[in-house]
Amino acid sequence: MVKKKGMRLSFCKGDMLVIFFVTMLAVLIGVVFLIWTGRDRGNTVVVYREGKKVQELPLYVDGEILIENSYTNKLVVKQGKAAIVESDCPGMDCVHSGWIQGKGRSLVCLPNRVEIRIEGEEESEVDFIVR
Amino acid sequence: MNRTKVNQITLCAILVSMALVLSYIEHFIPLQMLIPLPGVKLGLANIVTLMALFFLGTKSAFTILILRCILGSVFGGGISGLAFSLIGGICAMTVMYIFKNCKGISIYGVSMLGAAAHNIGQILVAIFLMGSVYVIGYLPYLLVVSVFTGLATGSICAGVFRILKTNTQITQN
């Protein structure tokens, strides 16, 4: 039942290959994700609770809301960025994630099953040519 | 025959409790302060999966994995926690099982691949639970982190295995 004879216990060349492979995979996924979401800054902050859209906030109007589910997240939108600044969830990863900006970026609070995502408004680009 | 069976069951039970303790201890390591991403952790319980995979065989390793996930969620993880740890754990175990007899890779490589697979599994669960594909945006970061956490747990495993290698009592099972 025991098959540990062929096991290497010291770092070897194959491990470098593994590091290379995993890093390349990360870069690949990252690049694909960036291309997919584009360089658009977005204009709407959308709140999803358990996968369903529950609220939309304009990205360029400062404001804050409370998102309630199993826990409560306090979402702040300020100067085109969004962050969860307070939360009573365990771990508080969402708060530690800090401020996000740019279309496609998202904040996730897993215990609360909440995702906050920056999106572009549907097909109404003409309204927003501000330079 | 009977004796080895008892040995096996006892060893399984010890490994399950070890895994639970390790994942509890993990909460006190403030890795998330360093890398503020959801789902980032050292994956110390992976040490137990690796150990079980090598010393007890696939069947026991699988049993230990399922038991520790269920018990872990009872002690504080909840149902969504169960989904994350179970799918992540199964992904990690499958990949480590495939690569454990691969000649060119040491325990460090196996551990890193396991950590990476764990993260991919967790992201899949997150996509499903959150109903959002955008969660994939976290995966590149998690994969890079998994190289380092995999190296860390791999080095712990290497140390443990070296000590166990001299102890024939356990390897006889």
Side-chain angles (χ1 to χ4, degrees), chain A residues 1-2 4 7-12 14-15 18-19 22 26 29-30 33 51 93 96 104 106-108 114-115 117, chain B residues 32 36 38 54-56 103-109 112 130 132 134 137-140 143 151 158 162 165 171 173:
Chain A
M1 188 163 278
V2 182
K4 68 171 187 93
M7 195 56 197
R8 280 176 190 236
L9 293 183
S10 49
F11 198 83
C12 62
D15 300 332
V18 171
I19 294 180
V22 174
I29 294 170
F33 187 76
D93 295 336
H96 297 316
S106 64
L107 282 165
V108 173
V114 162
E115 188 197 356
R117 196 191 302 159
Chain B
Q32 255 140 10
F54 280 106
F55 292 109
L56 293 170
K103 282 218 172 92
I105 298 173
S106 80
I107 190 144
Y108 289 91
M112 280 186 283
M130 313 291 293
S132 149
Y134 283 86
Y138 285 112
L139 190 53
L143 283 178
L151 282 174
R162 276 202 191 95
K165 234 180 178 175
T171 52
N173 278 315

Side-chain angles (χ1 to χ4, degrees), chain B residues 8 13 73 78 81 83 99-101 103 107 110 116 123 126 128 143 145 152 157 164:
Chain B
Q8 181 115 4
S73 77
F99 285 97
K100 73 170 179 161
N101 291 326
K103 282 218 172 92
I107 190 144
V110 176
I123 287 291
F128 186 73
L143 283 178
V145 173
C157 272
L164 287 182

Side-chain angles (χ1 to χ4, degrees), chain A residues 49-50 65-74 84 86-92 94-95 109-114, chain B residues 76-81:
Chain A
R49 194 166 59 196
E50 315 208 351
I65 56 161
L66 292 177
I67 306 155
E68 313 223 2
N69 202 13
S70 318
Y71 303 95
T72 306
N73 302 135
K74 185 176 173 189
I84 294 176
E86 267 174 46
S87 173
D88 55 356
C89 63
M92 302 227 296
C94 49
V95 179
C109 183
L110 288 176
N112 206 17
R113 303 266 207 97
V114 162
Chain B
I79 286 296
S80 60

Side-chain angles (χ1 to χ4, degrees), chain B residues 36-60:
Chain B
L37 288 170
V40 167
K41 54 180 184 174
L42 259 177
L44 289 176
N46 215 28
I47 296 169
V48 171
T49 308
L50 252 177
M51 270 178 71
L53 216 49
F54 280 106
F55 292 109
L56 293 170
T58 317
K59 233 167 96 183
S60 305

